[in-house]
Amino acid sequence: MDAESIRRSLESSGLRCTAQRHCVMAFLMEHTDHPTAAEIFEAVNRLDPRLSRATTYNNLRDLVQAGLVREVAVEGRSARFDARGMRHHHFICDRCGNVEDVDWLGSLGKRILRECELIVRGLCTKCATAKGRRRVETG
């Protein structure tokens, strides 16, 4: 998403396009790996050292409230943030905490769905493979 698209997106959601907010949104659009607020702060602060932790966290809150960003709650770990515009669900690995996108489940017949978030938990491919290797090695 280019700078003009981000500006239009922010303004159409009722948010002013401040330099700090633009920086946070641009980072989230480029990084689809569901970063934590701390990771976002560290990255955007490297780009603009004037960007404080409080400003970053406040902008994340505003972006979530405006519906431009989703906060993915990970039990026992820091929340993660997602700016992927398409409807989708999440898979969270119990072992490594990795958050992965899962495609939208599709139609629910003639029902009109406003919102749904499905979080699937288990072992990601990497951790499941490692667990299988350990069983073979110890078995």
Side-chain angles (χ1 to χ4, degrees), residues 82-97:
D82 182 7
R84 182 177 169 202
M86 300 170 21
R87 290 181 174 172
H88 64 283
H89 304 293
H90 293 101
F91 176 90
I92 301 172
C93 181
D94 292 335
R95 179 170 290 145
C96 69

Side-chain angles (χ1 to χ4, degrees), residues 17-138:
C17 185
T18 64
Q20 296 88 351
R21 191 171 287 143
H22 183 276
C23 192
V24 170
M25 189 67 184
F27 178 82
L28 283 168
M29 296 302 297
E30 292 174 16
H31 296 85
T32 59
D33 57 345
H34 308 87
T36 65
E39 291 167 341
I40 296 165
F41 166 70
E42 289 172 16
V44 297
N45 185 261
R46 279 192 298 270
L47 298 173
D48 184 354
R50 298 170 298 165
L51 197 65
S52 72
R53 185 177 305 275
T55 299
T56 302
Y57 284 51
N58 289 338
N59 278 308
L60 284 169
R61 181 201 61 221
D62 294 344
L63 292 167
V64 168
Q65 288 176 347
L68 295 173
V69 170
R70 287 171 61 190
E71 184 175 356
V72 182
V74 181
E75 291 174 19
R77 298 179 187 213
S78 297
R80 297 185 168 268
F81 293 88
D82 182 7
R84 182 177 169 202
M86 300 170 21
R87 290 181 174 172
H88 64 283
H89 304 293
H90 293 101
F91 176 90
I92 301 172
C93 181
D94 292 335
R95 179 170 290 145
C96 69
N98 188 41
V99 179
E100 300 172 5
D101 291 335
V102 177
D103 288 334
W104 183 254
L105 295 179
S107 172
L108 294 174
K110 294 183 180 183
R111 296 172 188 88
I112 299 173
L113 186 63
R114 180 185 59 79
E115 183 179 345
C116 173
E117 182 175 3
L118 175 67
I119 296 178
V120 181
R121 298 177 188 278
L123 294 179
C124 68
T125 307
K126 182 177 151 188
C127 290
T129 303
K131 185 175 182 177
R133 279 197 306 263
R134 276 198 297 278
R135 271 195 208 135
V136 171
E137 292 168 2
T138 61

